[in-house]
Amino acid sequence: MVNVKKQPRKTRRQQQADRRAVAIKLVNLANGVEQPLPLAFQKFVSKDGTNYEISCSRATSLPAETLSWIFSLMEKNMKRPYQESPWGWDAEKKQAELSDPAALHLVATSNGQNVGFSHFRFDLDDDKEVLYCYELQLESVARRKGLGRFMMHALETMALQNQMQRVVLTVFKNNATAVPFFHALGYKLDSTSPQGSDAQHYVILSKQNLSRAD
């Protein structure tokens, strides 16, 4: 009879290191995909018959005028909420964030005009592989037509296809439009969201990829 030597059980730290290594590999693979947006999400027709085209590009591949519009829309929609929060509005920091080489952007156009964008990244969050939605911003003309919901569905599908555990996002608590919008899409309080203080001005929400175990 041959004695088989038992392999020593891995410590919790070793297990966490292994899990992190897997997460890093998945994030790197996702970031290596040249065009992560599925063909089915490159066109959208709203209930009122408006046609939209959706593209996905790295910030470094976008024309300067598109990046300029992205920042302008961000400033128009979000400057005041930032100013009213403890974070404040830092235009230089926000421009750097939106144009960072790691940033990916969905850009929605209609009749050749930019009408909405989503800044997202494949990244690690709390040592888990996630698609992090940094921004979803629409021009007023494109709101309440289902475009925002469609773009979120596109992000969720890209997360699924690239084996991310969840889609994560941060939202100001007092954003009376965004909070119920994300709740209606099934987003719930994430375990990383700040706890224990009514003074916290933001929450972190997430939606689990049901094909993946935590």
Side-chain angles (χ1 to χ4, degrees), residues 55-81:
S55 62
C56 180
S57 303
R58 289 222 170 259
T60 49
S61 299
L62 287 172
E65 57 269 26
T66 303
L67 276 175
S68 178
W69 165 78
I70 283 173
F71 176 74
S72 295
L73 180 59
M74 178 71 195
E75 185 173 44
K76 179 169 63 176
N77 288 355
M78 297 302 296
K79 182 176 181 178
R80 176 173 288 183

Side-chain angles (χ1 to χ4, degrees), residues 73-134:
L73 180 59
M74 178 71 195
E75 185 173 44
K76 179 169 63 176
N77 288 355
M78 297 302 296
K79 182 176 181 178
R80 176 173 288 183
Y82 269 88
Q83 287 177 327
E84 294 172 349
S85 78
W87 289 339
W89 174 254
D90 186 330
E92 187 175 331
K93 181 179 178 181
K94 186 55 66 176
Q95 283 182 316
E97 180 183 283
L98 291 167
S99 60
D100 189 279
L104 286 153
H105 292 282
L106 291 184
V107 176
T109 61
S110 180
N111 295 319
Q113 297 295 314
N114 296 324
V115 295
F117 80 91
S118 175
H119 165 204
F120 71 98
R121 305 185 192 194
F122 295 110
D123 209 346
L124 287 185
D125 184 61
D126 196 30
D127 280 347
K128 295 180 176 64
E129 62 278 16
V130 304
L131 185 153
Y132 210 110
C133 174
Y134 282 72

Side-chain angles (χ1 to χ4, degrees), residues 176-188:
T177 302
V179 173
F181 169 76
F182 290 120
H183 283 166
L185 292 179
Y187 284 79
K188 299 178 181 179

